[in-house]
Amino acid sequence: MGNGGSGSTASHFCSDLLKTAIIENKNRFQVSSLTDNMPIISSWANDVSYDKIFVEQLKNSLTKSEILIGFSGSGNSKNIVKGLEISKEKGAKIK
């Protein structure tokens, strides 16, 4: 997850894991970018709050066996911080 340029970095990182990081005869990564679904992002931002665009997506499927990676240039983006907080609460690893 990320905003602006960091959102692009998050999308690119997912793309690399889904294609470039494939090793023959090995398990593949299961990844998704929370920045890639604009209808979901805009609906949560409009109906609830931009601060919760990632939290609300994570509530749908995050499990403790997952790793959440947040990209932020400032480190202070409320929606990134909230996403990391819910992930920690659910026992997922955060980076």
Side-chain angles (χ1 to χ4, degrees), residues 13-79:
F13 184 62
C14 286
S15 175
D16 285 345
L17 290 175
L18 289 169
K19 185 182 180 302
T20 310
I22 294 172
I23 300 172
E24 192 171 338
N25 300 320
K26 297 287 182 181
N27 290 335
R28 294 180 178 209
F29 289 102
Q30 247 183 342
V31 300
S32 62
S33 174
L34 300 178
T35 64
D36 288 346
N37 191 329
M38 280 309 302
I40 288 293
I41 289 171
S42 62
S43 65
W44 281 115
N46 183 63
D47 297 344
V48 180
S49 166
Y50 192 79
D51 292 350
K52 295 187 175 184
I53 62 170
F54 300 127
V55 167
E56 295 301 333
Q57 290 182 74
L58 291 166
K59 285 180 180 179
N60 291 344
S61 61
L62 184 69
T63 67
K64 64 181 178 180
S65 65
E66 294 180 304
I67 300 168
L68 178 72
I69 301 173
F71 293 90
S72 174
S74 69
N76 297 318
S77 298
K78 289 182 183 179
N79 56 9

